[in-house]
Amino acid sequence: MNRDEARPRASAKGRANKGPVQRLAVLGATGSIGTQTLEVVRLFPEKFKVVALAGNRNIELLHAQALEFSPACVAVGDDASAQALRRRLEGTGIAVLQGKSGLREAACWEGVDVIMAAIVGFAGLESVVAGIEAGCTIALANKETLVVAGERVNALLRAHGGRMVPVDSEHSAIFQCLVGEPAGAVESITLTASGGPFRTRPLETFDRITREEALRHPNWAMGSKITIDSATMMNKGLEVIEAHWLFHLPPERIDVLVHPQSIVHSLVNFADGSSKAQLGQPDMKVPIQYALSYPDRWPAPHPRIDWSAAGRLDFERPDRRKFPCLELAYEALRQGGAAPAVLNAANEAAVALFLKDRIRFVDIPRAIETAMAQFDGPAHPSLDDLVALDRAVRRRVEELYGAPAY
Ligand code: NAD
Ligand code: MG
């Protein structure tokens, strides 16, 4: 592990921040991160030109976004959505692309400097890869990309001289704490977790958890998949793996603490005994904006903390019996190779089944554990290996639970 790399790169060759206007592709534009990204763009119209938008099937919203931001292209998930959107955008000159190839095309559309990678899940991987190959800077919200393909993605970033800036609030916090720090100064990092809606719920009642209860996150309003991941604490597990690839630290130097107030977004612990943290209201627009303004900070009206009324900041160890997904993620990271991709695919399939009321909350970690025992995959999987493995693991989880999830 190279400690030198555990800090922001000051002199990346990525295309961002070259001129006064950043040319943006917002992938996952209709989601929680995508819409908040466009809110940041609205705050700084002179700093951005939206060149490409991509979403899945929310044609209403994509249509409104296309009219507001006049991108060169909009990519949608399927043929029917593309036809519907094409009719609506007739005469505007905006190209409508579709499917996986359309998404890749949108990512590397002529002139894109920065990609906001905000598609959820494995579906976001290929567009990030296409963007890196085209020399774009990646603002990364789609943590699953690094979980599944961290080794490949880092190799591509090195090969293309690219830059990746984290959007995930914990990783943004660490990234911010590392600015200006010398190489080799980091002893460990501590990711904070809200603990989700079931932090204080007794373990004996976990088999009765409903979808509605799991979707009620105490501190953050997010897409449904990450909200369930927060309830199982798999989100923190995925973030441990994400942090490993972003900051080049081994699993034993990445710690997790539950911090119910979600004010301290994460900490870096340095070799001299000092720790630095980044704090703020739980509002994703701050890390989204930082990923786009880095290395600058732009004044903005995001909510402030009234420190005189902030009260207590609590920290506690996560309960690993209630949240076995966290340990499964550490285990996948220790195993390495394709294990994190198996973990991720099984989790995505199990969460989709849970959201359809086909399995119980407590079945999610069981499905993942079973998949991890049944699949191993190559030590250094190619992107094609990862696509095949992802498909096979999902199919297996769906077979095991007797009903197709998609
Ligand atoms: P979301 O469900 O609200 O939005 C997902 C977006 O991806 C939507 O625009 C959807 O149309 C698009 N999408 C999904 N599948 C697609 C496909 N096959 N092709 C094209 N587009 C597709 O999710 P979100 O909460 O915005 O999360 C997005 C990513 O950011 C996730 O990886 C999540 O882990 C990460 N993240 C989110 C938050 C948050 O606060 N929401 C915080 C940190 C990290
Ligand atoms: Mg996070």
Side-chain angles (χ1 to χ4, degrees), residues 27-34 36 54-58 76-77 103 117-121 123 141-144 167-170 220-226 235 239 284:
L27 310 182
T30 57
S32 164
I33 295 291
Q36 292 181 86
N56 203 10
R57 294 197 192 94
N58 188 345
V76 293
L103 183 56
I119 286 177
V120 58
N142 175 238
K143 63 192 83 183
E144 294 90 346
V167 170
D168 214 345
S169 58
E170 297 76 4
W220 300 92
M222 310 177 286
S224 54
K225 191 261 179 184
I226 183 177
N235 184 48
E239 290 182 358
M284 283 307 295

Side-chain angles (χ1 to χ4, degrees), residues 182-206:
V186 178
E187 196 160 81
S188 67
I189 58 178
T190 304
L191 301 177
T192 53
S194 69
F198 307 132
R199 183 175 62 87
T200 57
R201 179 169 174 144
L203 177 59
E204 309 78 70
T205 68
F206 266 44

Side-chain angles (χ1 to χ4, degrees), residues 41-294:
V41 170
R42 283 189 196 102
L43 288 175
F44 302 97
E46 72 292 355
K47 292 189 190 290
F48 297 107
K49 168 75 190 111
V50 176
V51 175
L53 292 170
N56 203 10
R57 294 197 192 94
N58 188 345
I59 297 306
E60 285 294 323
L61 185 52
L62 275 172
H63 178 238
Q65 291 175 341
L67 293 184
E68 181 180 353
F69 294 100
S70 302
C73 69
V74 183
V76 293
D78 59 38
D79 190 37
S81 310
Q83 283 184 18
L85 190 59
R86 233 170 249 135
R87 271 195 302 275
R88 289 192 182 201
L89 289 177
E90 227 170 64
T92 60
I94 300 173
V96 177
L97 315 167
Q98 72 197 62
K100 286 183 173 191
S101 60
L103 183 56
R104 281 196 304 270
E105 231 184 299
C108 32
W109 194 268
E110 177 73 39
V112 170
D113 303 310
V114 182
I115 291 174
M116 174 54 70
I119 286 177
V120 58
F122 186 86
L125 171 63
E126 285 185 55
S127 48
V128 170
V129 167
I132 297 171
E133 286 173 345
C136 303
T137 287
I138 310 293
L140 187 80
N142 175 238
K143 63 192 83 183
E144 294 90 346
T145 281
L146 279 182
V147 170
V148 168
E151 186 179 55
R152 289 271 142 198
V153 166
N154 275 349
L156 280 172
L157 285 168
R158 277 194 301 273
H160 294 272
R163 180 160 82 190
M164 180 172 270
V165 186
V167 170
D168 214 345
S169 58
E170 297 76 4
H171 306 73
S172 175
I174 291 163
F175 191 80
Q176 293 182 51
C177 291
L178 289 173
V179 169
E181 292 294 343
V186 178
E187 196 160 81
S188 67
I189 58 178
T190 304
L191 301 177
T192 53
S194 69
F198 307 132
R199 183 175 62 87
T200 57
R201 179 169 174 144
L203 177 59
E204 309 78 70
T205 68
F206 266 44
D207 57 354
R208 297 198 291 278
I209 286 173
T210 66
R211 186 180 60 167
E212 286 62 37
E213 288 170 335
L215 281 171
R216 226 175 282 138
H217 195 279
N219 302 351
W220 300 92
M222 310 177 286
S224 54
K225 191 261 179 184
I226 183 177
T227 304
I228 302 302
D229 285 348
S230 299
T232 62
M233 287 196 75
M234 177 54 95
N235 184 48
K236 214 46 54 180
L238 299 178
E239 290 182 358
V240 167
I241 303 175
E242 181 187 14
H244 164 75
W245 293 114
L246 279 170
F247 305 115
H248 307 271
L249 293 167
E252 61 277 12
R253 288 166 57 196
I254 307 173
D255 197 13
V256 170
L257 282 181
V258 172
H259 165 51
Q261 293 88 1
S262 295
I263 296 289
V264 174
H265 296 314
S266 278
L267 301 107
V268 177
N269 309 301
F270 291 97
D272 61 353
S274 179
S275 292
K276 269 165 89 173
Q278 185 262 341
L279 293 81
Q281 292 283 11
D283 184 328
M284 283 307 295
K285 287 193 289 302
V286 175
I288 288 170
Q289 182 178 310
Y290 188 76
L292 299 173
S293 72
Y294 170 80

